[in-house]
Amino acid sequence: MNPHELIKEYRVAGHPIKRKWRNHSGPKCYGRRFWFVLLSCLLLFIFHYLFLVSNNKGFSFSSISDSTTNDPNRKKNQNYCSPFKPSEIDSCSGRYIYIHDLPSKFNENVLKNCELATRATDRISMCSYVANLGLGPRIQNSGGVLSANSWYSTNQFFLEVIFHNRMKKYECLTNDSSLASAIYVPFYAGLDLRRYLWGFRTSMRDASGVDLVKWLLEKPEWKKMWGRDHFLVSGRISNDFRRQSDRNSNWGSKFRFLPESKNMSMLTIESGSWNNDFAIPYPTYFHPSTDGEVLQWQDRMRKQRRPYLFSFAGAARLRQKGSVRNEIIRQCTASKTTCKLLDCNTVARECDDPVNLMKLFQSSVFCLQPPGDSFTRRSTFDSILAGCIPVFFHPKSAYSQYVWHLPKNHSKYSVFVSPRELRQGKVLINETLLQVSKDEELAMREEVIRLIPSIIYADPRSRLETSQDAFDLSVKGILEKIEKAKREIS
């Protein structure tokens, strides 16, 4: 029906025809409207198609996707002029990870030759920790201190093995590296280095790292961003891979000073001041298989009786200039009724026993966490797991480290004591902690217990459904970091 016939029919129906409508409804205007609508739909179709394709190639327009996600009218408008249905949107878009298939000498053979990583002073062979995909031997009998299952004698240096086994089960893996938003390099850098730290020349300590970057340089994935989208994980602190000279007396390797390695990101238990190092939690002894196990443990820690105001598990550092440990031990010993001390100089075996450590932390309101050989301690995460409020004596022990896993507001979950004032005798730990009100204490403990899922690594043979654990938050953090690097390069 042409416009003139439409006007005639409209008049027959008894409706008046207004001049304004009649003057603007000719055939030419009708055609312009048709082409305008068609062109609008075509442009929306092209934009939508480019958006999906770009995301599948590892790039995402986060500002656009975020705005549509938060749009209250999204459900109403999502099919407008679009051939795509919501069910067809790729949930892994922007999250795909490709794993390099490294030669076995960089990972599998390190575990097969685990005796080489065992020191003469080690009370337990490093080979025993290989069990259960790097979780170590299962703790069979804890005398009621631990829950029935999911507790293991985990070695802190096995983080790289645990992470690798979790990554094998990651829901957004891809065999097509062109789709990947990040490239994972499963090099067991820390365990490899441990084999050559004592009694070997620097060339031996550096050999595997040098061979790794040579191998990576030959891969097409490397040439895409020259390693800026690559990352690896280490169970050692970042300083162990930044040796300043080639003197054999100097500690560690120079892996992170290799030009190619500088482009890659490293997730490690303690970062330094370098842009490409990111701290993630030490592994604890708890590796749950279900969300229910986590919730049950959290509830148990809320109800836990805590007879001691504070506790400390560790050894003195007599040769370490400026260490606050000696003063901490002295003040704890002087506060026998309020402080429980586990002196690792005299009862070293008890300090290696997960049951003893968890029993100590569960019985304490506050747990002291001073620096040791480095700024950070595994004990920090064991104490959080026990619902014990950590007390720090240096900002680098946590506050400037685990930015993906711990709150920015440090006072929500911890107490800080000035190390200078402690050494000068101006501060008494006992008095400082007694000044914390009961309401503040309860709020901090609840925050600590809330943090438990984010500082544990779930069993690699399963995955949590409702909680994000330390692995999940680490992957999310590194993907965001690499996405930012891509935007800067673009």
Side-chain angles (χ1 to χ4, degrees), residues 185-471:
V185 183
F187 172 41
Y188 296 167
L191 290 173
D192 175 81
L193 176 60
R194 184 180 170 88
R195 300 186 295 179
Y196 308 112
L197 273 175
W198 298 274
F200 288 89
R201 300 178 64 85
T202 56
S203 57
M204 284 294 293
R205 293 181 239 157
D206 298 338
S208 293
V210 171
D211 289 346
L212 175 71
V213 297
K214 286 181 179 178
W215 186 89
L216 290 172
L217 283 172
E218 299 298 321
K219 300 300 170 184
E221 292 80 17
W222 183 266
K223 297 177 176 65
K224 181 181 177 183
M225 288 184 66
W226 301 106
R228 289 179 178 84
D229 56 352
H230 285 49
F231 74 97
L232 67 155
V233 179
S234 171
R236 301 194 70 91
I237 66 174
S238 62
N239 276 349
D240 286 351
F241 303 97
R242 297 181 183 275
R243 193 186 67 243
Q244 298 290 337
S245 77
D246 287 337
R247 288 182 303 205
N248 291 326
S249 59
N250 279 19
W251 179 261
S253 80
K254 63 177 182 182
F255 173 60
R256 294 295 281 155
F257 282 140
L258 299 177
E260 299 82 4
S261 178
K262 288 180 180 179
N263 285 352
M264 291 191 287
S265 297
M266 176 182 274
L267 309 185
T268 176
I269 54 175
E270 178 181 314
S271 66
S273 56
W274 298 275
N275 292 334
N276 281 5
D277 290 342
F278 302 91
I280 63 176
Y282 286 71
T284 66
Y285 303 109
F286 185 42
H287 305 282
S289 299
T290 66
D291 295 275
E293 290 181 59
V294 180
L295 293 172
Q296 289 173 8
W297 180 256
Q298 287 176 296
D299 189 53
R300 181 173 171 175
M301 291 304 98
R302 288 187 182 96
K303 300 173 182 176
Q304 188 71 33
R305 181 176 171 271
R306 302 178 186 272
Y308 295 102
L309 177 65
F310 63 106
S311 64
F312 174 61
R317 292 291 190 271
L318 300 176
R319 297 180 180 178
Q320 194 177 89
K321 186 178 180 181
S323 174
V324 296
R325 287 192 172 209
N326 300 336
E327 181 61 22
I328 285 173
I329 291 174
R330 188 190 69 78
Q331 289 197 24
C332 185
T333 304
S335 307
K336 292 182 179 180
T337 58
T338 56
C339 182
K340 179 68 173 177
L341 174 66
L342 188 60
D343 190 343
C344 297
N345 276 334
T346 57
V347 287
R349 287 187 179 275
E350 292 185 21
C351 289
D352 291 336
D353 186 343
V355 177
N356 282 337
L357 287 173
M358 292 304 294
K359 184 178 181 180
L360 174 69
F361 297 150
Q362 289 177 39
S363 66
S364 310
V365 176
F366 298 95
C367 291
L368 309 185
Q369 303 297 348
D373 295 329
S374 66
F375 292 113
T376 63
R377 303 182 76 203
R378 172 188 176 148
S379 176
T380 295
F381 300 99
D382 291 333
S383 65
I384 290 175
L385 181 58
C388 187
I389 302 165
V391 180
F392 297 116
F393 301 84
H394 199 290
K396 290 185 179 180
S397 291
Y399 301 156
S400 61
Q401 296 282 344
Y402 310 100
V403 295
W404 298 336
H405 300 81
L406 298 179
K408 291 182 180 179
N409 185 352
H410 313 133
S411 61
K412 286 182 65 176
Y413 73 97
S414 68
V415 174
F416 182 78
V417 174
S418 167
R420 177 181 297 179
E421 293 183 353
L422 185 69
R423 285 191 296 265
Q424 293 174 350
K426 296 180 180 180
V427 170
L428 291 177
I429 299 172
N430 192 30
E431 292 181 358
T432 299
L433 299 180
L434 284 173
Q435 290 174 4
V436 178
S437 70
K438 195 65 179 177
D439 288 343
E440 290 174 321
E441 174 195 318
L442 291 174
M444 279 193 282
R445 178 153 62 248
E446 182 57 33
E447 180 67 14
V448 166
I449 292 172
R450 187 192 66 79
L451 288 172
I452 288 176
S454 65
I455 59 95
I456 58 176
Y457 296 91
D459 193 317
R461 293 161 290 197
S462 59
R463 65 185 297 249
L464 305 181
E465 297 296 333
T466 61
S467 302
Q468 288 188 317
D469 71 346
F471 171 84

Side-chain angles (χ1 to χ4, degrees), residues 49-120:
Y49 175 79
L50 291 174
F51 174 71
L52 292 176
V53 169
S54 65
N55 268 341
N56 283 338
K57 289 186 177 182
F59 295 87
S60 65
F61 301 94
S62 57
S63 60
I64 296 172
S65 59
D66 287 345
S67 63
T68 54
T69 301
N70 297 324
D71 182 7
N73 298 317
R74 183 187 179 193
K75 187 173 182 180
K76 180 175 66 177
N77 298 329
Q78 58 193 359
N79 292 322
Y80 181 73
C81 284
S82 172
F84 296 101
K85 296 180 180 179
S87 59
E88 296 174 349
I89 301 296
D90 188 355
S91 63
C92 285
S93 179
R95 299 170 56 222
Y96 281 114
I97 293 179
Y98 176 84
I99 303 179
H100 270 306
D101 186 15
L102 298 183
S104 59
K105 72 174 185 175
F106 294 116
N107 42 50
E108 290 179 13
N109 287 356
V110 175
L111 297 183
K112 288 179 181 178
N113 299 310
C114 50
E115 283 296 347
L116 296 176
T118 304
R119 296 177 58 191

